[in-house]
Amino acid sequence: MTALDSDDVRIEALFVSDLQSSQHPTPEVIRAVVTETVDRLGEQGCAALVAQEFGEHPDCALGRMRWARRAVLSAYKAA
């Protein structure tokens, strides 16, 4: 898996998790939630739920994806 692929999976996992940006999660919390979500759903499960959310709630999904991307890139850079 390339670094880009890893980031994509992590971003999708955070996107589909229950963690909210309003909780102001630390990098450690973000990394733990990403790991738990990938372990629970798998890479394909995360991707499927992302697609479902964009299909059902495109108005909300874009903002959440932007947050997830920023949060993951920051959390894993800090590791």
Side-chain angles (χ1 to χ4, degrees):
M1 183 180 296
T2 67
L4 179 58
D5 291 338
S6 294
D7 285 344
D8 289 344
V9 171
R10 291 170 178 157
I11 291 164
E12 290 173 349
L14 183 59
F15 178 92
V16 301
S17 75
D18 292 331
L19 193 63
Q20 299 297 313
S21 63
S22 62
Q23 294 172 294
H24 306 288
T26 64
E28 294 80 12
V29 169
I30 290 168
R31 291 191 298 266
V33 166
V34 165
T35 298
E36 185 277 327
T37 303
V38 172
D39 287 348
R40 183 170 43 89
L41 300 174
E43 293 178 19
Q44 291 181 349
C46 291
L49 287 174
V50 168
Q52 180 179 343
E53 283 300 308
F54 268 93
E56 293 178 2
H57 307 285
D59 51 325
C60 299
L62 185 57
R64 182 156 175 87
M65 183 57 77
R66 287 180 178 148
W67 167 74
R69 181 170 193 70
R70 284 191 310 270
V72 164
L73 295 178
S74 177
Y76 283 87
K77 182 174 90 171

